[in-house]
């Protein structure tokens, strides 16, 4: 939804532009400039102030029939526009109103192509538009980003699998930090990735509005930057995997997409920030997503859910055998109702993974659905993507009968054109059935949540489940995510583990899963991480013994009127401030370095407020589950001193009590 304040459109079609060699466009504040060059190739530069961040970057599109954008670059028209709008998102992931201000240039070529460049105060985006009357087969897209002034690159690298080609990945990796010239040429990298320059600028590379087209990977371009890599179209597939099967491509075509001849390709997005703290609150990717086609959005209800798979339903102090059964899920329903969660998730195991109508015998779905309804709690269901694809309409009908208003679908692990289309097809079907959803084992959202606002969150992140079997979900990684992955859209990390370990005491133990870092580190994630549907992965049996802590956690919203980053540095620490109504929420994370931080409460309005928070206890550096609750009166102008243990955190609410 957009509210248009002012659009100024100036169309220049004079013949002088047919021979233009350079076209310039600046951001509204004049600080960022793009220079587009028409030579033998179509190239562009991006400048921030006096610094050239990209130089000689190349744009081209090659069709299977030999036609290409660069074959005869005669310009027919150059159209310029200034756009000053506001977007009112259906689901406010970061803020209730999003300013959308940019200057745009549209270059129309004599051949049936156009090129759009938008220059914002916080970045640059371009997309190719085709104008063919019939369908086209795209052999390749040349998206070459030649960066200047590079210092270090933060990037996630695909780890090759033994049962599938390199374009199969769950998009769950650490961020490796290396100089550009030391990244191996064969490394396949998925986005977003971050370029740290020798100036103060940070540049984040990603994409948006990914529709009927493969996602963009990149490779090192001879130490000059990165070149886009796209998964070729899948021609043949086979089913692979053990308990959770998925389709793997065994033969690919010599092209990346077959698509409509008249269409817009995805946006290539270059986000530019002068400070680390600008990145976590940036929503440029969302702004570039296509507006939603949905007219009735009243049924879209963000919130919080329980999640039992990570801890293996390992409950205790109960009079029944825990597991995938009716009693266990009734216990979860009671827990959710007690602490303000709107729903529970039935994760993998409630049915045969390959047949959503073959329900586990120990589970009575009709009884459970009736009990959930009586308690005012909704049910959410896990599905295997290959199974959901095959049983889509009847399965969604069954979910409607059970009162299910949210589903997860899992084990996709691809972003070729066919799988991108799967995401849109499932989202459209779920919208017809008024069911919200999220994708696991999937690529970053890339503007998807603006088009399909009921797709509330997305995995594509190395998250809490990795504590089951590895040391990978550690605090330095956790405090990197807001600055890189989260910029591309909401992420389902699934925080809230209530067993916690220090760097020395942590062990990956299945069915007794602990987090790395403190209890308050887990709490703070509910404020720091964008996810309109947050999943609490902790053990309810532990939570019931700590009601004050759980009430604090349960009262944290998942959508926001405003987001600010008070302080932060990539991979080191962050202080996030969120507003909902008249209340403010603070979340802070640190890596394995303990810190003392001062937060000035200048953001408060005049009046009386109460702080209700949890901070690391005095022994949290040795016993990571140690915390202390804080409850005190505060007002505008006060300062809040917080101490973060190694791997620590702070989470709290400042409530207006007038």
């Amino acid at each position: 939804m957009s509210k248009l304040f002012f659009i100024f459109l100036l169309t220049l079609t004079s013949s002088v532009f047919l021979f233009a060699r350079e076209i310039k466009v600046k951001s509204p504040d004049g600080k960022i400039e793009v220079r587009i060059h028409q030579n033998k190739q179509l190239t562009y530069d991006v400048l921030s102030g006096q610094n050239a961040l990209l130089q000689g970057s190349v744009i081209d599109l090659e069709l299977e029939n030999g036609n290409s954008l660069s074959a005869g670059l005669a310009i027919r028209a150059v159209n310029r526009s200034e756009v000053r709008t506001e977007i009112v998102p259906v689901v406010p992931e970061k803020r209730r109103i999003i300013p959308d201000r940019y200057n745009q240039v549209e270059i129309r070529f004599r051949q049936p192509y156009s090129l759009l460049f938008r220059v914002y105060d916080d970045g640059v985006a371009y997309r190719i538009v085709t104008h063919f009357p019939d369908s086209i087969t795209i052999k390749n897209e040349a998206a070459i980003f030649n960066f200047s002034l590079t210092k270090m690159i933060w990037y996630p690298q695909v780890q090759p699998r033994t049962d599938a080609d390199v374009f199969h990945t769950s998009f769950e990796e650490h961020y490796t930090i290396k100089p550009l010239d030391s990244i191996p040429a064969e490394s396949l990298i998925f986005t977003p990735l971050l370029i740290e320059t020798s100036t103060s600028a940070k540049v984040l590379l990603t994409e948006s509005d990914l529709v009927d087209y493969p996602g963009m990977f990149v490779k090192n371009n001879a130490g000059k930057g990165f070149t886009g890599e796209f998964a070729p179209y899948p021609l043949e597939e086979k089913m692979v995997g053990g308990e959770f099967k998925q389709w793997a491509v065994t033969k690919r075509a010599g092209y990346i997409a077959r698509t409509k001849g008249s269409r817009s390709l995805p946006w290539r997005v270059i986000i530019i920030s002068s400070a680390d703290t600008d990145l976590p609150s940036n929503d440029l990717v969302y702004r570039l997503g296509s507006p939603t086609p949905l007219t009735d959005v009243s049924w879209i209800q963000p919130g919080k859910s329980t999640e039992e798979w990570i801890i293996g339903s390992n409950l205790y102090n109960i009079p029944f055998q825990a597991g995938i059964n009716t009693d266990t899920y009734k216990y979860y329903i009671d827990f959710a109702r007690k602490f303000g969660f709107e729903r529970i998730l039935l994760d993998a195991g409630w049915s045969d993974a390959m047949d959503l109508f073959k329900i586990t015998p120990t589970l009575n779905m009709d009884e459970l659905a009736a009990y959930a309804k009586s308690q005012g709690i909704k049910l959410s269901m896990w599905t295997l993507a290959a199974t959901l694809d095959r049983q889509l309409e009847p399965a969604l009908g069954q979910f409607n009968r059970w009162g299910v208003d949210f589903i997860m679908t899992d084990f996709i692990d691809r972003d070729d054109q066919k799988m991108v289309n799967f995401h849109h097809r499932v989202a459209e079907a779920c919208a017809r059935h008024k069911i919200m959803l999220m994708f696991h084992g999937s690529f970053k959202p890339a503007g998807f949540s603006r088009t399909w606002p009921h797709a509330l969150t997305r995995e594509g992140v190395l998250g809490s489940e990795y504590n089951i079997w590895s040391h990978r979900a550690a605090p330095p990684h956790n405090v990197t995510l807001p600055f890189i992955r989260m910029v591309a859209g909401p992420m389902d990390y699934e925080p809230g583990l209530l067993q916690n370990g220090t760097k020395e005491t942590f062990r990956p133990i299945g069915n007794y899963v602990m987090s790395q870092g403190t209890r308050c580190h887990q709490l703070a994630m509910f404020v720091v991480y964008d996810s309109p549907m947050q999943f609490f992965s902790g053990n309810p049996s532990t939570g019931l013994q700590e009601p004050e802590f759980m009430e604090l956690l349960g009262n944290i919203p998942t959508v926001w009127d405003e987001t600010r980053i008070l302080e932060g540095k990539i991979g080191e620490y962050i202080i996030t401030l969120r507003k909902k109504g008249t209340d403010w929420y603070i979340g802070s994370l640190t890596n394995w370095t303990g810190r003392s931080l001062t937060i000035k409460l200048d953001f408060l309005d005049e009046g009386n407020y109460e702080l209700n928070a949890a901070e690391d206890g005095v022994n949290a550096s040795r016993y990571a589950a140690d915390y202390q609750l804080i409850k005190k009166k505060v007002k505008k102008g006060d300062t809040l001193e917080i101490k973060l243990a190694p791997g620590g955190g702070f989470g709290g609410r400042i409530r207006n009590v007038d």
Side-chain angles (χ1 to χ4, degrees):
M1 299 180 182
S2 298
K3 183 178 180 182
L4 184 59
F5 278 175
F6 177 67
I7 296 181
F8 172 67
L9 177 64
L10 174 62
T11 303
L12 301 170
T13 57
S14 171
S15 61
V16 67
F17 287 97
L18 301 180
F19 306 98
R21 288 292 179 264
E22 184 177 76
I23 298 167
K24 297 180 180 180
V25 58
K26 287 189 175 183
S27 58
D29 65 7
K31 295 179 180 179
I32 298 174
E33 182 179 46
V34 172
R35 298 174 181 174
I36 306 155
H37 307 280
Q38 174 205 357
N39 297 305
K40 292 181 180 180
Q41 289 181 307
L42 191 64
T43 63
Y44 66 96
D45 308 329
V46 176
L47 291 82
S48 178
Q50 300 300 311
N51 299 313
L53 300 179
L54 289 91
Q55 287 185 300
S57 296
V58 178
I59 301 171
D60 204 353
L61 191 72
E62 181 184 2
L63 304 188
E64 192 178 47
N65 63 8
N67 192 307
S68 69
L69 172 61
S70 61
L73 280 174
I75 295 174
R76 183 164 60 87
V78 176
N79 306 320
R80 296 179 181 272
S81 56
E82 296 179 359
V83 177
R84 310 291 185 262
T85 74
E86 286 183 347
I87 299 169
V88 181
V90 174
V91 177
E93 299 165 2
K94 298 179 189 286
R95 51 187 54 86
R96 185 173 55 85
I97 297 175
I98 302 173
D100 193 25
R101 305 172 69 253
Y102 59 87
N103 294 334
Q104 177 173 284
V105 61
E106 177 194 24
I107 306 170
R108 294 292 301 262
F109 298 96
R110 286 197 180 277
Q111 288 212 83
Y113 299 97
S114 297
L115 180 66
L116 293 179
F117 259 100
R118 290 184 182 176
V119 186
Y120 299 78
D121 292 342
D122 55 355
V124 171
Y126 78 83
R127 78 188 320 172
I128 298 168
V129 182
T130 60
H131 306 282
F132 292 90
D134 302 314
S135 63
I136 56 176
T137 300
I138 299 174
K139 185 176 181 180
N140 196 28
E141 177 186 345
I144 301 175
F145 308 92
N146 290 327
F147 289 96
S148 305
L149 307 173
T150 58
K151 183 179 177 183
M152 300 296 287
I153 312 295
W154 299 63
Y155 67 96
Q157 180 178 328
V158 174
Q159 300 302 315
R161 290 170 35 167
T162 58
D163 62 345
D165 69 27
V166 71
F167 292 108
H168 293 74
T169 174
S170 62
F171 302 90
E172 301 166 3
E173 295 295 341
H174 271 135
Y175 289 91
T176 302
I177 310 167
K178 285 185 178 180
L180 178 59
D181 58 10
S182 68
I183 298 175
E186 66 275 11
S187 295
L188 189 66
I189 297 165
F190 56 89
T191 68
L193 61 86
L194 186 74
I195 296 93
E196 188 175 351
T197 72
S198 55
T199 69
S200 61
K202 304 292 191 303
V203 182
L204 186 138
L205 178 62
T206 190
E207 60 189 330
S208 188
D209 208 24
L210 184 57
V211 180
D212 194 28
Y213 202 80
M216 182 178 70
F217 296 87
V218 298
K219 284 186 175 181
N220 189 347
N221 181 30
K224 296 184 293 184
F226 297 96
T227 183
E229 296 280 334
F230 303 88
Y233 189 84
L235 293 177
E236 296 178 7
E237 299 167 288
K238 69 176 181 180
M239 194 71 78
V240 300
E243 181 182 2
F244 305 122
K245 298 184 185 299
Q246 60 184 201
W247 289 105
V249 180
T250 57
K251 183 180 179 182
R252 293 191 182 271
Y255 56 86
I256 63 173
R258 279 187 173 158
T259 187
K260 293 184 296 184
S262 182
R263 61 157 298 178
S264 299
L265 272 58
W267 289 104
R268 307 294 164 222
V269 185
I270 302 160
I271 292 171
I272 301 168
S273 67
S274 59
D276 292 15
T277 50
D278 295 334
L279 289 165
S281 61
N282 187 288
D283 47 26
L284 180 54
V285 170
Y286 184 94
R287 283 175 259 158
L288 290 163
S290 291
T292 182
L294 304 182
T295 53
D296 176 16
V297 295
S298 60
W299 52 275
I300 302 174
Q301 300 291 328
K304 288 188 295 295
S305 174
T306 62
E307 193 283 333
E308 85 286 352
W309 184 81
I310 290 177
I311 66 159
S313 300
N314 196 14
L315 308 176
Y316 59 94
N317 288 342
I318 53 175
F320 57 87
Q321 185 73 41
I324 301 173
N325 57 50
T326 306
D327 285 339
T328 294
Y329 287 117
K330 283 184 175 181
Y331 182 89
Y332 268 91
I333 288 169
D334 293 342
F335 175 85
R337 184 171 182 268
K338 181 177 179 65
F339 293 115
F341 293 61
E342 294 82 6
R343 55 185 54 79
I344 70 165
L345 176 69
L346 280 68
D347 212 314
W350 69 268
S351 76
D352 186 316
M354 299 302 294
D355 187 349
L356 297 173
F357 294 90
K358 189 176 180 180
I359 300 168
T360 298
T362 52
L363 189 59
N364 186 323
M365 281 303 304
D366 291 333
E367 180 184 345
L368 187 66
Y371 185 73
K373 184 177 181 179
S374 72
Q375 299 303 306
I377 299 296
K378 293 284 190 175
L379 300 180
S380 306
M381 314 298 284
W382 177 94
T383 69
L384 189 68
T387 305
L388 183 66
D389 194 24
R390 189 179 70 253
Q391 299 181 323
L392 184 59
E393 283 299 327
L396 295 180
Q398 178 64 80
F399 293 151
N400 285 147
R401 288 187 287 275
W402 287 335
V404 169
D405 72 341
F406 186 96
I407 66 169
M408 175 208 298
T409 195
D410 202 351
F411 289 92
I412 301 164
D413 293 1
R414 285 162 45 195
D415 69 349
D416 51 43
Q417 184 188 19
K418 184 175 181 178
M419 272 308 163
V420 168
N421 290 346
F422 165 80
H423 285 69
H424 286 272
R425 185 172 68 256
V426 170
E428 188 276 333
C430 284
R432 282 190 282 104
H433 287 265
K434 293 183 168 53
I435 293 175
M436 298 172 287
L437 79 155
M438 72 170 168
F439 297 94
H440 265 215
S442 179
F443 51 92
K444 77 278 180 186
F448 194 90
S449 58
R450 184 179 181 193
T451 309
W452 302 110
H454 60 300
L456 293 177
T457 191
R458 181 82 64 95
E459 199 177 33
V461 65
L462 192 160
S464 191
E465 65 181 345
Y466 277 78
N467 289 300
I468 301 172
W469 58 79
S470 77
H471 286 72
R472 303 186 72 191
H477 169 75
N478 299 340
V479 80
T480 298
L481 293 173
F483 299 92
I484 307 178
R485 164 59 183 86
M486 198 172 82
V487 183
M491 56 186 198
D492 181 43
Y493 185 98
E494 301 189 355
L497 287 172
L498 302 182
Q499 278 72 42
N500 316 106
T502 66
K503 190 175 185 179
E504 294 74 26
T505 62
F506 172 81
R507 300 290 185 276
I509 305 171
N511 292 329
Y512 188 81
V513 181
M514 66 180 78
S515 72
Q516 296 175 74
T518 69
R519 171 73 65 80
C520 291
H521 190 88
Q522 293 288 300
L523 173 68
M525 291 178 181
F526 286 88
V527 179
V528 173
Y529 291 167
D530 293 339
S531 186
M533 185 66 78
Q534 286 278 18
F535 284 82
F536 167 75
S537 62
N539 194 320
S541 298
T542 304
L544 286 167
Q545 298 177 48
E546 303 178 35
E548 288 185 272
F549 180 88
M550 285 307 308
E551 287 167 6
L552 175 61
L553 189 157
N555 280 309
I556 297 174
T558 63
V559 291
W560 308 99
D561 296 337
E562 185 178 345
T563 294
R564 303 182 196 175
I565 309 302
L566 297 183
E567 292 184 37
K569 187 171 177 58
I570 300 169
E572 297 188 15
Y573 77 104
I574 189 170
I575 305 173
T576 300
L577 184 67
R578 310 266 200 176
K579 189 177 185 183
K580 181 67 174 177
T582 60
D583 296 345
W584 291 90
Y585 296 80
I586 300 173
S588 182
L589 300 171
T590 185
N591 57 12
W592 287 125
T593 300
R595 301 176 194 275
S596 295
L597 302 171
T598 300
I599 300 173
K600 295 182 179 180
L601 304 185
D602 296 341
F603 53 84
L604 295 176
D605 293 327
E606 297 296 337
N608 297 308
Y609 294 83
E610 182 179 79
L611 171 68
N612 186 7
E615 68 175 357
D616 294 327
V618 294
N619 293 302
S621 60
R622 299 176 58 207
Y623 184 77
D626 185 32
Y627 65 90
Q628 63 177 0
L629 296 170
I630 304 169
K631 195 169 187 178
K632 65 179 182 179
K633 303 294 184 183
V634 295
K635 64 182 185 303
K636 183 180 179 67
D638 287 352
T639 57
L640 181 62
E641 306 290 339
I642 63 174
K643 291 185 178 181
L644 306 180
F650 176 93
R653 173 189 186 186
I654 302 178
R655 184 170 62 93
N656 188 306
V657 293
D658 282 338

